Amino acid sequence: MFFDTHAHLNAEQYNDDLREVIDRALEEGVSRIVVVGFDRLTIEKAMELTEQYDFIYASVGWHPVDAIDMTDEDLRWIEELASHPKVVALGEMGLDYYWDKSPKEIQKEVFRKQIQLAKKVKLPIIIHNRDATADIVAILKEEGAAEVGGIMHCFSGSPETAKECVDMNFYISLGGPVTFKNAKKPKEVAEAIPLDRLLIETDCPYLAPHPYRGKRNEPSYVKLVAEQIAEIKGVSVEEVAEMTTANAKKLFGII
Ligand code: NI
């Protein structure tokens, strides 16, 4: 069985056929999915999905691109949701220096507040990083994020950075890009990081794996990510599925 640790089934791209998308995931052996909410609308929708499907869990947080919109009330709301039995993590949170909607200083402040909240409610965190590796690693260290640990989501950095994150109690999650022919770094990371620190994800509807690159992604495709990791590591896809599922269950506290 596969565990998709990062899916946005709460995105409008699934408005017309969510049921079919979920059925295809179940047919392919995807038996656990964490739906990630990152603003008011997507958090509400993620929570609804956890009520509708017993194998769907939620992670709730505030995306760095929209950091400028987060109010104290939003943070209190996230804190309330954190005690919901199906909320298994906080995030995605982090830094995104590609888009400039939210100034860096505000992104950092919102990131720090969410790490502090995660420590208070004792939940792991899911990290979004775009062009901001050095600042993310520094903040995780300064805020003592190792206490809760979490996930470097859709990791695209070097094996060295991946190891540094593992040393800070984080798992490395690989998605569609590891299957791209020209993706050197994710393949190196898949090789360098032991299976007991790896997770798999789709980040759907984005980043569909090969041969669906550029199309809408969905949880059933997480199998392609697992197959690529299995090939790189020279192990069976069953072993990758089993280990990454066990890792995710342990991190999220799911039995
Ligand atoms: Ni995401």
Side-chain angles (χ1 to χ4, degrees):
M1 98 177 201
F2 301 100
F3 195 136
D4 184 354
T5 60
H6 196 113
H8 299 286
L9 292 177
N10 44 357
E12 61 181 7
Q13 283 88 336
Y14 303 106
N15 281 355
D16 294 335
D17 62 345
L18 181 63
R19 184 74 237 187
E20 285 96 321
V21 166
I22 287 175
D23 285 346
R24 280 196 293 275
L26 293 170
E27 276 162 29
E28 289 293 335
V30 182
S31 51
R32 295 278 192 283
I33 301 171
V34 169
V35 171
V36 178
F38 50 82
D39 60 15
R40 284 168 212 122
L41 205 67
T42 57
I43 289 173
E44 266 173 24
K45 184 82 201 214
M47 296 308 296
E48 277 173 31
L49 290 171
T50 68
E51 307 286 339
Q52 287 162 12
Y53 300 95
D54 60 355
F55 51 88
I56 290 184
Y57 300 82
S59 178
V60 298
W62 214 265
H63 202 284
V65 170
D66 302 315
I68 197 164
D69 299 327
M70 195 190 79
T71 63
D72 289 344
E73 199 185 324
D74 291 323
L75 198 65
R76 277 194 298 275
W77 180 45
I78 291 170
E79 181 170 356
E80 273 169 36
L81 291 173
S83 61
H84 188 288
K86 291 192 87 181
V87 170
V88 294
L90 294 194
E92 51 193 293
M93 63 175 78
L95 300 173
D96 190 317
Y97 292 169
Y98 181 79
W99 302 103
D100 56 7
K101 178 183 165 187
S102 297
K104 286 182 184 178
E105 286 317 306
I106 291 177
Q107 290 192 34
K108 287 179 186 174
E109 191 190 322
V110 165
F111 184 26
R112 285 182 192 275
K113 280 182 181 170
Q114 291 184 89
I115 299 171
Q116 288 156 12
L117 176 58
K119 288 170 75 176
K120 187 177 168 191
V121 300
K122 298 186 169 48
L123 281 179
I125 56 180
I126 297 179
I127 306 296
H128 170 103
N129 168 21
R130 193 155 183 197
D131 303 340
T133 303
D135 285 357
I136 290 216
V137 170
I139 288 175
L140 289 175
K141 280 186 183 152
E142 284 165 26
E143 296 293 338
E147 192 181 309
V148 288
I151 301 174
M152 304 307 290
H153 134 68
C154 203
F155 189 80
S156 60
S158 67
E160 291 71 32
T161 306
K163 283 176 188 158
E164 206 178 347
C165 295
V166 167
D167 289 342
M168 284 192 293
N169 196 22
F170 276 76
Y171 287 85
I172 306 300
S173 186
L174 296 172
V178 76
T179 68
F180 299 167
K181 290 199 169 61
N182 57 355
K184 199 166 155 256
K185 275 205 241 161
K187 289 186 202 296
E188 285 173 1
V189 168
E191 196 177 354
I193 299 302
L195 211 41
D196 67 357
R197 297 308 295 187
L198 284 180
L199 297 171
I200 53 174
E201 66 171 72
T202 55
D203 198 21
C204 65
Y206 319 105
L207 295 170
H210 175 79
Y212 303 108
R213 190 173 183 177
K215 305 228 170 69
R216 185 186 72 169
N217 197 0
E218 60 173 65
S220 66
Y221 298 166
V222 81
K223 190 181 176 183
L224 297 163
V225 174
E227 283 171 355
Q228 180 68 73
I229 295 172
E231 194 187 318
I232 291 168
K233 287 197 161 308
V235 299
S236 68
V237 67
E238 290 77 16
E239 194 176 340
V240 172
E242 204 176 298
M243 277 298 291
T244 52
T245 296
N247 294 342
K249 284 183 168 181
K250 189 175 158 198
L251 176 69
F252 295 133
I254 295 172
I255 301 158

